[in-house]
Amino acid sequence: MDSAFRAERDFVEDVSHELRNPVASVRANVEAVLADEASTPEQRAEAVAVVTRATDRMSRLLEDLLATARRRSGAYEDRDVDLAAVAADAVEEHRALATERGLQLRERLARGPTAYAEPETLGRAVGNLLSNAIRLAPRGTTVTAAVGSRGGWAWIAVRDEGPGIPEDEQERVFDRFVRGRNGGNGAGGTGGTGLGLPIARQIVESHGGRIVLFSTPGVGSTFVVWLPDHAVSRETRSSSPPAGDPLGARSPAATTD
């Protein structure tokens, strides 16, 4: 119990610190520029851009926290979910952002794989993976979202052609508020909250699944969500997800426990 309370206290402190920075940024720009009648149009435009980035960051953080709280509380009811539909919804939600950042968003969504899950929270996990990929991918490259099934396990994969993750950081990408050397501003000019991947992992593991990372620095990364495929017989399912990247071409880098 002491450990659980300590973990909760640390989590609250981390989140409070994470919110304090964008709030301070908004306040400083409002007081120094937007509330100053003598400020120039250029200064006001720059301040508005800073405030927009800060509020976007806070919104993403709050949405991630809400998804985690709802999943923990059991507020949603799991049911058979078409993973292709979940991935397609997440892709559509992020298509405008990908276009804005000069990226091609490609779909390879095989129909059929089904998971016993809550579609909204699972969609949040996939959305976090897409958001992360779009944030880091260089302009003119492709982000791929794919769905399939293998060995009784359904999978959703998100691949980018970004900077990749150095080997010494790959074990820590699912830790809260960890940002790697290559996890900075990316093409979009905004950093992540440091909660997207940890929350994606929590959601997937709460559905009896696993996230696996495949990454090569300078080539890109693929995050694969494995979930028991309810469209096939349980007898045909192995005790753990298959090894290897279902999209091929990369060797395994890190696996959640």
Side-chain angles (χ1 to χ4, degrees):
M1 287 183 66
D2 284 344
S3 244
F5 284 131
R6 193 180 312 108
E8 289 295 325
R9 184 174 61 249
D10 291 344
F11 182 69
V12 170
E13 289 176 355
D14 285 343
V15 171
S16 299
H17 176 74
E18 193 69 14
L19 285 171
R20 187 178 298 118
N21 290 334
V23 168
S25 177
V26 169
R27 181 174 181 178
N29 279 274
V30 168
E31 291 179 347
V33 180
L34 298 180
D36 182 4
E37 294 182 359
S39 60
T40 66
E42 291 77 13
Q43 289 174 324
R44 286 177 171 269
E46 183 177 349
V48 168
V50 171
V51 169
T52 299
R53 287 197 297 269
T55 54
D56 285 347
R57 183 176 174 185
M58 287 188 286
S59 293
R60 291 195 303 271
L61 177 58
L62 292 173
E63 287 169 1
D64 283 339
L65 293 174
L66 183 59
T68 301
R70 285 177 172 173
R71 186 65 193 172
R72 285 181 175 178
S73 70
Y76 292 121
E77 184 177 349
D78 290 348
R79 56 184 173 84
D80 282 345
V81 175
D82 179 356
L83 293 190
V86 170
D89 287 345
V91 167
E92 282 308 307
E93 181 181 340
H94 289 80
R95 191 175 297 282
L97 180 60
T99 300
E100 176 186 330
R101 297 185 179 176
L103 304 172
Q104 179 183 358
L105 199 50
R106 177 184 300 164
E107 299 175 66
R108 293 171 50 184
L109 310 180
R111 296 287 172 178
T114 302
Y116 190 66
E118 198 291 309
E120 185 171 333
T121 52
L122 186 57
R124 184 68 192 166
V126 178
N128 282 355
L129 299 181
L130 277 169
S131 177
N132 195 63
I134 291 170
R135 180 172 59 86
L136 295 174
R139 183 173 293 273
T141 61
T142 299
V143 172
T144 302
V147 170
S149 182
R150 180 188 296 177
W153 289 83
W155 55 266
I156 301 176
V158 174
R159 166 179 286 178
D160 65 65
E161 298 172 5
I165 301 171
E167 186 174 356
D168 61 342
E169 296 180 0
Q170 291 171 0
E171 294 293 340
R172 301 179 62 237
V173 295
F174 295 103
D175 292 344
R176 292 199 312 261
F177 301 110
V178 169
R179 298 187 185 88
R181 296 193 296 272
N182 292 335
N185 290 338
T190 58
T193 65
L195 271 179
L197 293 179
I199 284 178
R201 181 181 67 174
Q202 287 182 6
I203 291 172
V204 171
E205 290 183 349
S206 74
H207 287 91
R210 180 180 297 178
I211 291 186
V212 182
L213 163 65
F214 303 85
S215 187
T216 302
V219 177
S221 301
T222 303
F223 287 86
V224 184
V225 173
W226 291 98
L227 295 163
D229 189 348
H230 276 228
V232 301
S233 170
R234 179 179 297 182
E235 286 71 26
T236 65
R237 184 182 309 138
S238 56
S239 58
S240 59
D245 181 356
L247 293 181
R250 292 191 175 95
S251 43
T255 307
T256 63
D257 294 328

